[in-house]
Amino acid sequence: MTKLEILTYPNTFLFRPTNPVENIDGKIQDLIEDMAVTMYDAPGIGLAAIQVGHDKSLLVFDVSPKDEKRSLQVLINPKIISKEGTIISEEEGCLSVPDYRADVKRAEKILVQGYDREGKPLQIEAEGLLSLVLQHEIDHLNGVLFIDHLSSLKRQMYKRRVKKNLRKK
Ligand code: ZN
């Protein structure tokens, strides 16, 4: 198991749409293990393959409370089948958008279909934190970052800050 480098904005790889996983082979299993190590180490509650440089439709997440045992979840080729209601995610953040948090308008409940790491079809009815995490991670698989949901003014402010910091380096 290897900890992978997490790509951060403005790395253009993050804007790429991903390709479906066609074979859940040993390479994919290794990638899942590496992504899990990387996510727990960060620490984060969700990570998409594109964030570690693989343009595959694959994500890992774990929304179990801190005082409970870890429970790694894997979702391959996920699709949001339906959405219901609206909710504001408070202070949403992203490992690929460091040092920035913002409220994002999201669906309250979603129905997701995909596959688990054994290739078995999976259906998840999600609400609360799980719903927000899955919407955030599935966005990644479509080349979308949470800052893309913000007003253009807020997004511009963030982009300017990143440019300034890059110049300082
Ligand atoms: Zn993210």
Side-chain angles (χ1 to χ4, degrees):
M1 287 185 277
T2 321
K3 201 179 98 186
L4 305 169
E5 189 200 340
I6 298 176
L7 306 179
T8 55
Y9 178 89
N11 190 314
T12 54
F13 197 80
L14 293 166
F15 308 131
R16 252 196 233 198
T18 54
N19 301 303
V21 175
E22 292 186 351
N23 274 317
I24 306 176
D25 55 14
K27 261 192 204 161
I28 290 290
Q29 300 294 349
D30 288 348
L31 177 57
I32 289 168
E33 293 303 324
D34 291 348
M35 284 171 64
V37 174
T38 308
M39 176 182 76
Y40 287 123
D41 179 78
I45 54 175
L47 187 71
I50 193 85
Q51 293 178 274
V52 289
H54 292 264
D55 56 353
K56 291 269 174 246
S57 183
L58 164 67
L59 55 93
V60 296
F61 60 97
D62 185 349
V63 293
S64 47
K66 275 196 189 102
D67 48 352
E68 280 178 26
K69 249 180 79 190
R70 281 176 179 177
S71 166
L72 180 72
Q73 311 283 319
V74 177
L75 197 47
I76 296 172
N77 301 342
K79 280 204 168 59
I80 297 177
I81 303 301
S82 64
K83 295 184 180 191
E84 202 188 306
T86 348
I87 195 170
I88 304 293
S89 72
E90 283 167 36
E91 302 251 298
E92 192 165 324
C94 177
L95 297 174
S96 293
V97 184
D99 307 319
Y100 187 70
R101 288 186 172 269
D103 296 349
V104 179
K105 205 165 146 191
R106 299 274 187 196
E108 193 177 358
K109 293 181 188 173
I110 54 167
L111 178 65
V112 179
Q113 281 178 354
Y115 297 88
D116 70 10
R117 63 188 298 177
E118 270 89 49
K120 270 189 247 139
L122 202 64
Q123 182 157 300
I124 305 174
E125 267 178 71
E127 55 182 318
L129 180 62
L130 178 60
S131 169
L132 299 174
V133 169
L134 290 179
Q135 289 174 73
H136 179 113
E137 298 309 328
I138 292 170
D139 269 354
H140 274 302
L141 303 180
N142 295 310
V144 174
L145 296 177
F146 83 99
I147 51 174
D148 295 321
H149 290 288
L150 304 179
S151 69
S152 58
L153 179 69
K154 272 194 187 159
R155 197 165 49 238
Q156 287 312 321
M157 277 164 57
Y158 177 72
K159 286 184 179 172
R160 238 175 276 150
R161 205 171 82 188
V162 171
K163 264 190 207 149
K164 230 195 251 167
N165 286 341
L166 286 178
R167 251 181 269 139
K168 267 189 229 155
K169 275 178 194 167

